[in-house]
Amino acid sequence: MQKSTRYSPLRRILFPYSGEDALTLKQSLRVLLAWMLFFPLTMSIFPLLLIILYSYPLQRIVWLFLFAFLSGFFVFGSLGVLVVVINNMSAHIRQAKKFTSVGNRNASKASGDRYGS
């Protein structure tokens, strides 16, 4: 059963999942795409503002935009991979702890010692 949780708009863009379960491939790709596009596009706005203020030539505009976008694309793409990997590791650890705590409760209810006598 899913809880209906409302996240902030930025969280809904960058990581709209609860973190309780490991992400599927499709969810992981969605998070990576969000990280690889959201931050670089926002970073590319700054060079565009400089272009408007200082009226650079078109070739310089293209180079500044590409540099800002591609550097952000690779940096935040690698951070997006890190987010997905850490989320999946913590979800697996959380599920393992939940499984062992349920296993310990079931084992304590059993009668007898180690060999069931």
Side-chain angles (χ1 to χ4, degrees):
M1 179 182 272
Q2 285 277 354
K3 281 195 282 186
S4 177
T5 307
R6 295 288 295 174
Y7 297 119
S8 68
L10 190 61
R11 167 95 190 252
R12 279 184 276 177
I13 292 170
L14 295 176
F15 196 83
Y17 307 107
S18 67
E20 295 287 325
D21 299 318
L23 299 178
T24 63
L25 179 64
K26 187 176 179 180
Q27 291 171 331
S28 298
L29 291 175
R30 188 239 178 262
V31 169
L32 283 175
L33 187 64
W35 278 69
M36 292 170 93
L37 291 179
F38 177 77
F39 288 113
L41 285 176
T42 55
M43 284 175 45
S44 299
I45 290 173
F46 181 69
L48 289 177
L49 292 175
L50 286 177
I51 292 162
I52 292 170
L53 290 175
Y54 296 113
S55 63
Y56 288 134
L58 182 61
Q59 184 179 11
R60 181 108 186 223
I61 293 169
V62 170
W63 283 114
L64 283 173
F65 182 80
L66 280 176
F67 178 74
F69 182 78
L70 290 177
S71 61
F73 184 83
F74 289 113
V75 168
F76 289 105
S78 59
L79 286 174
V81 169
L82 184 66
V83 165
V84 169
V85 168
I86 295 298
N87 176 69
N88 287 347
M89 286 175 49
S90 69
H92 288 301
I93 291 169
R94 187 177 296 118
Q95 288 172 355
K97 280 187 178 181
K98 190 182 294 186
F99 179 74
T100 57
S101 68
V102 168
N104 287 340
R105 271 190 271 142
N106 290 339
S108 65
K109 292 178 183 177
S111 60
D113 63 357
R114 182 175 177 183
Y115 298 105
S117 52

